[in-house]
Amino acid sequence: MKFVVLYSSIEGQTRKIAEAVASHLQSQQHTVMISDANQIGFADPGVGDAIILCAPVHGGHYPAPFVHFVHDWAQVLNDIPTAFISVSLSIASADVDEQQEARSYPGGISEETGWSPSAILNCAGALKYSEYDYFKKWMLKRIAATEGGPIDTSRDYELTNWTEVKSFIDTFVGSIT
């Protein structure tokens, strides 16, 4: 099969997830085209048999260029099988209400754009303390402390469950082949 993997990334973890998805599909002998959905002039996403989109949530919102892309291409996306990997640190929270809120974000983009993905994975991203400015580092450390999460700001923490990502892709591929 031919897959299109589109991503939007702010700090790089979502791009890393999309690249892992593409690599996993290629290891199964699928043809894969991967691209940043934020790039102006991207070709028709309908060139594949299926599409996998990946986007991060920051401050309760997906990146505006990603939302605009999905809105503009919603009809094409609805006409073929699509999977959506929504990346949010809140999904790794010990607080059930925060996890539930993270699970609600894909519904929000569906309401806003008219796109209804065939499959959705809510996936944790990464805490990249080494890349944050003083204020963001301080803020995220405070949030992590209340959650019982990692607070040593001298290093980064990857919270993505790679086994879960591969399993999600395998299940999605199995549902369309």
Side-chain angles (χ1 to χ4, degrees):
M1 291 187 75
K2 190 175 2 173
F3 288 88
V4 176
V5 178
L6 300 172
Y7 67 89
S8 177
S9 194
I10 294 174
E11 296 172 350
Q13 187 67 15
T14 304
R15 182 186 70 244
K16 187 174 180 180
I17 292 167
E19 289 170 347
V21 165
S23 178
H24 184 63
L25 289 167
Q26 289 169 333
S27 75
Q28 297 173 344
Q29 307 307 309
H30 295 290
T31 302
V32 180
M33 181 176 85
I34 183 170
S35 183
D36 184 339
N38 296 342
Q39 296 299 317
I40 295 173
F42 177 76
D44 181 347
V47 299
D49 299 313
I51 303 172
I52 300 166
L53 291 97
C54 309
V57 176
H58 285 264
H61 303 282
Y62 295 104
F66 179 79
V67 174
H68 291 297
F69 175 87
V70 171
H71 182 268
D72 291 348
W73 291 98
Q75 186 59 50
V76 172
L77 297 173
N78 285 328
D79 287 345
I80 61 177
T82 57
F84 182 37
I85 299 177
S86 177
V87 182
S88 171
L89 286 173
S90 296
I91 204 69
S93 173
D95 183 328
V96 176
D97 290 336
E98 286 196 24
Q99 290 177 14
Q100 191 59 34
E101 182 179 352
R103 286 186 183 92
S104 74
Y105 295 136
I109 197 170
S110 289
E111 282 183 30
E112 186 176 347
T113 64
W115 169 51
S116 298
S118 310
I120 298 169
L121 174 66
N122 289 288
C123 176
L127 271 171
K128 297 190 172 187
Y129 286 123
S130 67
E131 297 179 19
Y132 303 151
D133 63 28
Y134 176 81
F135 177 74
K136 188 170 186 177
K137 187 182 293 188
W138 174 83
M139 182 181 67
L140 287 172
K141 180 180 177 179
R142 284 185 50 124
I143 293 169
T146 64
E147 299 289 322
I151 59 171
D152 177 1
T153 60
S154 68
R155 56 178 290 238
D156 296 338
Y157 300 89
E158 189 171 81
L159 303 174
T160 304
N161 181 332
W162 296 106
T163 302
E164 183 180 49
V165 171
K166 285 182 181 181
S167 177
F168 172 74
I169 295 304
D170 291 343
T171 300
F172 175 64
V173 171
S175 75
I176 61 174
T177 54

